[in-house]
Amino acid sequence: MRRALLAATTLGAVVLGTSPASGADGWEPAPTPPYDLPAGARCDVPVHTEPVVDEVVQRVLDRRPDGSPSRVAYRGDLVVRVTNTDTGAFYDADVSGSAIVDHHADGSQKWYVVGPVLAGVGENAGNLARGLYVLDGVYTMDISATGYKSVRLVHGSADDVCARIG
C-alpha cells in the first residue's frame, strides 16, 4: 500500500504522493538485500531475512557539492520474511513505510518515518534493547556514524520480531 509522507523538518515540509514508481519523475528502484545474522547479534536465535515483496523506490532530493546524496526519500511496498534458521519458524513483516533520510558527511543518518520499517539493534547499540523490530507509526531515528540507533516515537509502536520467531 502506497502511503503519503508528511515530514516536518528543519528544511520545511515535504510531501511524497503516489506518483508512478520510477522513471522520469526521479524515482528509482532501491532493492532490499537478504542477510543472515548469527544467534545473539539481534535475536537469541540465528536469523535470515529476505524480501518476499520488494517494490521500494528512492528519489534523491538533495546532493552535496561532490554529488553524493544528502537527502533521499524512500517509499513502496516491502514485506520481509524473517526466519529462525534453527527451527524454520518465520514471520512476514510488512514494512511498507515511507521515509526521508538525511545522510550526513560523517556517515550518520537522520530518518523521518511514517509507517513500518524493519530495524535491527545490536547489544548496547541503541535506545531499544538488542533485537529486530517492526517500528510503526510516526517517528524519527538517528543512526550515529558508529551505528548507535536512537528511536523517538511520536506516535507508534515497536514490535519485537525475535519474540515472534522464537
Side-chain angles (χ1 to χ4, degrees):
M1 158 172 29
R2 302 273 187 228
R3 289 186 175 87
L5 171 65
L6 174 62
T9 69
T10 57
L11 299 177
V14 177
V15 178
L16 301 179
T18 57
S19 61
S22 65
D25 62 357
W27 291 98
E28 298 296 333
T32 301
Y35 61 89
D36 293 287
L37 297 167
R42 300 294 181 271
C43 302
D44 291 338
V45 298
V47 171
H48 174 75
T49 70
E50 186 159 353
V52 292
V53 173
D54 190 349
E55 297 175 7
V56 176
V57 291
Q58 67 181 2
R59 182 177 182 185
V60 175
L61 301 175
D62 200 12
R63 293 184 182 276
R64 287 186 196 77
D66 69 1
S68 63
S70 61
R71 176 168 272 195
V72 182
Y74 297 90
R75 69 175 188 201
D77 294 341
L78 179 61
V79 177
V80 177
R81 178 163 292 166
V82 182
T83 304
N84 174 334
T85 57
D86 278 348
T87 67
F90 68 90
Y91 176 68
D92 287 342
D94 182 348
V95 289
S96 302
S98 297
I100 293 177
V101 180
D102 289 335
H103 298 270
H104 302 290
D106 67 355
S108 65
Q109 300 174 5
K110 172 89 174 199
W111 291 47
Y112 303 89
V113 186
V114 173
V117 170
L118 187 63
V121 179
E123 189 71 37
N124 299 315
N127 66 337
L128 296 173
R130 175 180 60 92
L132 196 54
Y133 299 93
V134 173
L135 302 174
D136 196 3
V138 177
Y139 56 96
T140 61
M141 181 168 50
D142 290 299
I143 305 173
S144 74
T146 62
Y148 188 92
K149 293 180 179 135
S150 296
V151 177
R152 289 176 190 80
L153 291 168
V154 175
H155 177 75
S157 61
D159 182 16
D160 182 3
V161 175
C162 297
R164 291 182 173 274
I165 62 171

